[in-house]
Amino acid sequence: MREQVPTPAESLKDRARAALGQRNLVLVGLMGVGKSSIGRPVAQQLGIPFVDSDAEIERVSRMTITELFAAYGELEFRALETRVIKRLLQDGPRVVSTGGGAFIDESTRQQVKRGSLSVWLKANLDLLWNRVNRHDERPLLKTENPKQTLENLMNERYPIYQEADLTVLSRDVGKDIMVREVLAAIVEGKTAENKMP
């Protein structure tokens, strides 16, 4: 009986799962970069649960993110976000999609660094703007010039996102390509900034 050779896709997901071990995979990056839409199929490929920290915050608070910001302000929201993410990271392995500001918080960032593998999904301004401009539920973009606000957030947050373990460039390509690139980055254990701009 001949030994069955795994297909490249099978061997990539198996190698990524082995490289991840018992750690959580935490996706970080700005709003609109695709943390949830890429995170779900990545979790599926890895055969582990997926959780969106924003959805979990809404579940435990019984309020939307927009309502939380309006009622309590960003400072209180960040405190709740830190508590929720700390709890989510206690179990694993799982894929955790975080809100855009989560990794910016020092204590949340330290929690992530303690036992998880973090991946920064990085994108350029035009791509992010095209994605977030279609929706009206982004509290931080409720300003006079939301595109400028988004650019300001990029300038402020990108140096901190660079502290993530891995970086994968988010582009306007099929989800399957992005999923494959995240899995490859896990396997290679290094930043996988693409050749494409």
Side-chain angles (χ1 to χ4, degrees):
M1 195 156 151
R2 288 175 51 207
E3 192 178 308
Q4 198 171 13
V5 178
T7 67
E10 284 173 331
S11 83
L12 177 62
K13 69 182 180 186
D14 292 342
R15 287 181 300 158
R17 182 66 193 89
L20 186 61
Q22 291 306 301
R23 296 177 293 175
N24 289 305
L25 181 69
V26 179
L27 301 178
V28 304
L30 269 181
M31 61 185 88
V33 80
K35 298 180 298 282
S36 293
S37 62
I38 300 304
R40 277 186 191 87
V42 165
Q44 195 173 20
Q45 288 291 308
L46 294 171
I48 58 178
F50 169 80
V51 64
D52 180 316
S53 67
D54 280 352
E56 186 64 10
I57 289 165
E58 290 182 338
R59 188 185 71 74
V60 298
S61 68
R62 296 190 175 121
M63 296 173 82
T64 67
I65 301 297
T66 303
E67 289 167 345
L68 284 165
F69 263 79
Y72 301 106
E74 186 174 0
L75 214 58
E76 280 302 310
F77 170 77
R78 295 295 170 208
L80 173 60
E81 180 176 56
T82 298
R83 290 192 303 274
V84 167
I85 290 173
K86 181 179 184 180
R87 181 176 51 78
L88 292 176
L89 295 181
Q90 287 172 350
D91 294 323
R94 56 170 59 158
V95 175
V96 180
S97 164
T98 61
F103 198 68
I104 304 308
D105 179 82
E106 177 69 27
S107 82
T108 303
R109 193 160 64 251
Q110 293 313 314
Q111 288 172 22
V112 170
K113 288 180 176 186
R114 265 196 286 279
S116 302
L117 182 67
S118 55
V119 177
W120 173 24
L121 293 179
K122 180 181 180 182
N124 67 37
L125 179 61
D126 290 337
L127 177 74
L128 290 175
W129 178 245
N130 285 339
R131 289 178 179 174
V132 300
N133 194 26
R134 296 181 225 154
H135 308 286
D136 193 33
E137 78 278 354
R138 309 280 184 176
L140 292 178
L141 295 183
K142 292 189 183 303
T143 62
E144 250 181 64
N145 186 343
K147 188 173 184 181
Q148 185 60 56
T149 302
L150 184 60
E151 187 172 1
N152 294 345
L153 285 170
M154 287 177 76
N155 294 334
E156 190 182 298
R157 293 178 175 183
Y158 274 27
I160 299 170
Y161 290 147
Q162 286 178 336
E163 293 184 34
D165 299 309
L166 307 168
T167 302
V168 175
L169 193 64
S170 181
R171 317 179 306 289
D172 242 340
V173 295
K175 273 187 206 165
D176 57 325
I177 294 171
M178 289 304 309
V179 168
R180 199 163 50 245
E181 289 178 3
V182 169
L183 295 176
I186 296 167
V187 169
E188 293 161 16
K190 63 180 194 278
T191 293
E193 290 232 26
N194 268 304
K195 311 102 230 67
M196 297 170 73

